[in-house]
Amino acid sequence: MAVFKTLLIALAAAANAPAAVVAFQHDPRATNTGLAKRADAYPFCNPATNPNCIAGGKYLVPILEFSSENGPGDLAYQQYLPASPWTFSKWTNGLMPERCYYWGVTADKWKATDFLVYNVTYTDCATPFVVCRHQKSTKSIGQLASVRDIMLASSLGQFVQNVFILTNPLGWQQIGKLPVRMRQASSIYIVYGDLNTDNPNYGGYMATLAGDGVVVGRSVAYFSTSLVHETGHAVDSTLASPGGGKPFSGTAAWAAAVKADGFAVSAYGAGSYVEDFAEAGRAVLLDTVVPGGLAAFTGGKNANLTQIAAQLKAFKAVAGTFYTPGGKCDLAKKFPFPTKLVKRE
Ligand SMILES: *[C@@H]1O[C@H](CO)[C@@H](O)[C@H](O)[C@H]1NC(C)=O
Ligand SMILES: *[C@@H]1O[C@H](CO)[C@@H](O)[C@H](O)[C@H]1NC(C)=O
């Protein structure tokens, strides 16, 4: 436990450095179509311009269609991952976690008073997660919260919440669909508005600050496969880390697996070892939850799956247990509930 805490502090320091912010700020929806049209070379691989490229820029083809919202991979997660029921309560003490303030206000220039803060408690984890939700977020915890505020303490409030869970596939239960032993790698979700006019200073999409236990992004970015990818970064730097503040994706073991395969898991993964690890997580989770595994996911049409076999094996060896649905979070491993709080003003 002591070692783990030291690691978190080291990672927190790394996450505060501008380079790390750039490294984790990306668009995990992107597929390998339209590469030439993208202005940003990172994280896609162009070996001539991107020194982080792995496997010479080669990646598994036919691709695993797991990048876009409501694409085959996203739908498979929606279908096969059980949702953990949850309850939530709104903070009324005028405070917010210091990390929500740091990223949401100081770094990304949103207004502190526009955030509402919630505890979200899932039945598979004793301690809550925190959601710092900007009021411009188009996803529904706000609408639901206002309904619930009115109905507070009434059984109807719980009823409305249950109806919401059943009928709104884009709701916050998607966080609860992440296997809890993956989910425990983060403790805070920061959710922004979706329009550039909401905040012209913010041009990002979604990011993971693993050392802070933070997943942060626009509300449109909060869908299953995107959360699976982002949580992969959190797992990489905490639960799967060999220690010393190092992500597993930075180890010789991961480099050896990539080298043995000779192909990255996806075009996006070919951009760096870090991204490739998170992409491998998507593939491993599909392999675990889709009946028949990855071969069934591709409809038996991807004879090239052996090209990523060493990466899947290496990933499963360090993180397979976290990528399995069911069970409970382990409070000794869960990223701690934030205790450093500041005024929300
Ligand atoms: C399998 O991978 C090889 C090597 O990259 C490639 O030439 C081939 O087209 C791939 N197969 C299919 C069906 O795409
Ligand atoms: C949120 O959770 C923390 C930690 O369990 C608890 O101390 C706090 O009272 C909770 N706040 C609300 C508003 O539920």
Side-chain angles (χ1 to χ4, degrees):
M1 190 60 198
V3 172
F4 187 61
K5 279 204 169 130
T6 310
L7 164 66
L8 296 182
I9 292 159
L11 288 168
N16 287 345
V21 177
V22 173
F24 286 92
Q25 182 75 40
H26 53 226
D27 185 344
R29 291 170 305 178
T31 66
N32 65 339
T33 52
L35 289 189
K37 297 195 197 102
R38 286 180 62 106
D40 57 325
Y42 188 89
F44 286 120
C45 189
N46 172 349
T49 58
N50 179 359
N52 297 318
C53 280
I54 66 168
K58 288 185 293 177
Y59 53 86
L60 172 68
V61 177
I63 63 164
L64 298 171
E65 308 252 7
F66 58 28
S67 297
S68 20
E69 184 168 25
N70 295 324
D74 194 49
L75 292 175
Y77 295 133
Q78 289 177 37
Q79 181 178 357
Y80 295 116
L81 290 172
S84 175
W86 49 273
T87 54
F88 67 89
S89 54
K90 191 165 131 187
W91 289 27
T92 53
N93 55 5
L95 303 176
M96 71 196 297
E98 183 277 338
R99 288 289 93 183
C100 286
Y101 192 96
Y102 178 80
W103 292 112
V105 182
T106 309
D108 291 337
K109 312 278 185 247
W110 298 84
K111 223 168 105 189
T113 47
D114 283 344
F115 284 94
L116 299 173
V117 184
Y118 300 88
N119 281 358
V120 179
T121 307
Y122 296 95
T123 51
D124 55 18
C125 195
T127 60
F129 294 77
V130 176
V131 174
C132 295
R133 179 192 174 276
H134 191 276
Q135 304 203 33
K136 294 276 187 183
S137 153
T138 55
K139 292 238 163 120
S140 319
I141 201 171
Q143 295 153 14
L144 184 63
S146 49
V147 172
R148 191 171 184 269
D149 285 348
I150 296 163
M151 297 177 178
L152 205 65
S154 79
S155 59
L156 196 51
Q158 187 62 49
F159 173 75
V160 169
Q161 194 172 320
N162 290 340
V163 169
F164 171 79
I165 289 170
L166 290 173
T167 58
N168 188 339
L170 298 180
W172 291 103
Q173 75 272 24
Q174 294 208 0
I175 295 172
K177 273 177 164 276
L178 291 167
V180 67
R181 285 169 285 179
M182 280 173 72
R183 199 188 323 136
Q184 68 187 353
S186 301
S187 71
I188 298 178
Y189 296 89
I190 309 177
V191 192
Y192 296 152
D194 297 326
L195 304 175
N196 287 338
T197 48
D198 292 341
N199 174 359
N201 294 308
Y202 180 73
Y205 180 69
M206 196 175 222
T208 300
L209 294 317
D212 289 349
V214 167
V215 173
V216 51
R218 298 189 183 277
S219 69
V220 291
Y222 278 79
F223 52 89
S224 284
T225 188
S226 168
L227 284 164
V228 170
H229 174 98
E230 293 303 326
T231 302
H233 289 312
V235 169
D236 185 16
S237 290
T238 58
L239 302 169
S241 166
K246 194 176 176 145
F248 176 74
S249 62
T251 63
W254 187 241
V258 172
K259 192 172 173 202
D261 283 338
F263 293 81
V265 173
S266 70
Y268 198 73
S272 71
Y273 287 111
V274 170
E275 295 303 340
D276 188 57
F277 180 87
E279 293 290 84
R282 281 172 155 171
V284 163
L285 189 57
L286 287 172
D287 206 20
T288 306
V289 299
V290 174
L294 261 191
F297 173 69
T298 61
K301 294 194 188 94
N302 198 327
N304 279 342
L305 283 177
T306 49
Q307 288 174 355
I308 59 168
Q311 289 159 95
L312 298 190
K313 190 174 168 207
F315 189 104
K316 283 176 181 171
V318 292
T321 174
F322 309 121
Y323 276 64
T324 307
K328 300 265 180 199
C329 70
D330 176 347
L331 293 185
K333 290 201 169 91
K334 183 175 184 262
F335 201 99
F337 185 89
T339 50
K340 194 173 168 195
L341 311 177
V342 296
K343 282 196 177 146
R344 195 164 54 80
E345 60 186 18

